[in-house]
């Protein structure tokens, strides 16, 4: 199961990276179009879609690598049962919030498909297509939070120093 979950997180990170390349291609295409006097409609909209997709698809991988920003002021002063209790409380809240986020993201994509909602820009893209990346990213983030929550309940979660404390920026 661990290998499958890690593959899911890594696959979403690779999709996010591909979406960043998509942003680059759209921006370069827009620049080249201005320089050489040709128009590719929707490049700005697609750059935005790719940017949103890259952000949402990278959420779970970022969480699992410990790269999300956490306020550890209180947590760093707690030890033992108090620290574990606060971790479980925070992860429970995160699972609930991520669950709502995933539910409404999937619902939004589904409704956009059902109502044939399209972009108001000149690209006229069916909105459910770019919204799928948000829904997928939100669902995988929910899975990652549940994964962290279960590991914490089993006592298997690593409590290493958060990655942001290791940097000296």
């Amino acid at each position: 199961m661990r290998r499958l979950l890690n593959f899911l997180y890594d696959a979403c990170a690779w999709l996010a990276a591909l979406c960043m390349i998509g942003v680059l291609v759209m921006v370069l295409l827009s620049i080249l179009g201005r320089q050489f006097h040709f128009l590719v409609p929707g490049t700005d909209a697609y750059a935005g879609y790719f940017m949103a997709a890259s952000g949402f698809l990278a959420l779970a991988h970022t969480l699992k690598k410990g790269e999300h920003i956490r306020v550890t002021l209180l947590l760093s002063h707690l030890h033992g049962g108090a620290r574990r209790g606060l971790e479980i409380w925070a992860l429970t809240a995160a699972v609930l919030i991520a669950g709502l986020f995933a539910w409404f993201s999937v619902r939004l994509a589904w409704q956009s498909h059902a109502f044939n909602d399209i972009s108001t820009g000149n690209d006229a893209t069916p909105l459910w297509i770019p919204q799928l990346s948000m829904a997928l990213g939100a669902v995988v983030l929910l899975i990652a939070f549940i994964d962290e929550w279960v590991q914490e309940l089993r006592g298997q979660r690593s409590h290493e120093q958060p990655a942001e404390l290791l940097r000296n920026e």
Side-chain angles (χ1 to χ4, degrees), residues 62-142:
T62 306
L63 172 71
K64 294 305 285 184
K65 295 296 181 185
E67 295 290 331
H68 277 214
I69 296 171
R70 294 182 65 184
V71 179
T72 57
L73 181 65
L74 179 61
L75 196 60
S76 64
H77 294 293
L78 295 177
H79 301 285
R83 180 184 178 116
R84 187 165 190 268
L86 185 58
E87 288 277 5
I88 290 172
W89 179 85
L91 286 168
T92 302
V95 166
L96 293 174
I97 292 169
L100 286 171
F101 181 45
W103 169 260
F104 285 108
S105 297
V106 170
R107 185 175 155 201
L108 176 66
W110 182 267
Q111 286 178 339
S112 291
H113 182 269
F115 298 141
N116 295 317
D117 199 9
I118 61 169
S119 167
T120 57
N122 58 0
D123 60 313
T125 302
L127 287 178
W128 66 270
I129 296 171
Q131 289 170 351
L132 273 178
S133 63
M134 179 177 74
L136 176 63
V139 168
V140 176
L141 179 65
L142 172 62

Side-chain angles (χ1 to χ4, degrees), residues 41-60:
T43 54
D44 55 341
Y46 286 110
Y49 298 152
F50 281 128
M51 181 61 76
S54 67
F56 283 105
L57 290 171
L59 286 173

